[in-house]
Amino acid sequence: MKTGTVTVVLLLVGATGAFADDMKMPINASQLEWASAPNFVPEGAQIAVLSGDPSKDGLYVIRLKMPAGYKIAAHNHPTTEMVTVISGDFHLGMGDKLDEEKSMLLTAGGYAEAPARMNHYAWASSPTIVQVHGQGPFAITYVNPADDPRSKPQASK
């Protein structure tokens, strides 16, 4: 019995060392590097990649900073999307069209999960930061192709 316990403890200690080798350096919010969000969301948002590469296979964690009034039309993803509100007022709804009356307000600490291929939409009623994580590669399909920002000319920056 003692041999089994010692073996488990040694395995856990070894595994902890392996995890520590893979751990990225901790970072405070003030140290995040923000950039203009990619053109698959409307202009005006900023993005910070915390972990992984959303464009590649594997886990990723990003933050999206949105101004008050920012809206993302109804869309879906091929993988489950998990969202945690860091700050602000983030409204989320399920359906084929953005409907402010049918959305739910999430505040700091709020969490939502949109299963793969479930149509949903979002908007911010105050300056808002959300953290999104999931399995890459990240992809987005708008319910109404006319809502896709990639189909519209982008303003020069």
Side-chain angles (χ1 to χ4, degrees):
M1 181 75 162
K2 287 184 181 180
T3 303
T5 303
V6 170
T7 302
V8 170
V9 168
L10 290 174
L11 284 172
L12 289 174
V13 169
T16 303
F19 292 146
D21 290 342
D22 293 338
M23 183 176 166
K24 289 185 165 209
M25 290 301 297
I27 188 169
N28 284 304
S30 63
Q31 298 170 301
L32 292 177
E33 294 182 22
W34 293 96
S36 294
N39 67 351
F40 54 71
V41 293
E43 283 188 76
Q46 292 183 301
I47 190 172
V49 177
L50 279 67
S51 181
D53 182 341
S55 70
K56 295 182 180 172
D57 188 38
L59 298 174
Y60 68 87
V61 180
I62 64 165
R63 288 201 181 160
L64 189 67
K65 185 188 298 188
M66 301 162 281
Y70 188 82
K71 295 179 181 183
I72 303 174
H75 62 279
N76 64 66
H77 310 280
T79 58
T80 300
E81 179 182 50
M82 290 148 281
V83 178
T84 302
V85 179
I86 303 299
S87 64
D89 298 304
F90 187 67
H91 303 258
L92 182 68
M94 302 299 171
D96 296 340
K97 187 176 181 185
L98 192 148
D99 184 343
E100 293 181 9
E101 297 297 318
K102 293 183 180 176
S103 64
M104 179 178 176
L105 170 62
L106 297 173
T107 57
Y111 173 82
E113 191 170 305
R117 297 182 184 23
M118 175 174 271
N119 292 341
H120 58 284
Y121 52 86
W123 59 285
S125 57
S126 67
T128 299
I129 298 174
V130 297
Q131 183 164 297
V132 180
H133 67 278
Q135 178 69 35
F138 178 88
I140 185 169
T141 302
Y142 286 87
V143 174
N144 180 351
D147 290 332
D148 190 334
R150 294 168 288 200
S151 67
K152 300 173 183 166
Q154 298 288 309
S156 59
K157 295 180 181 180

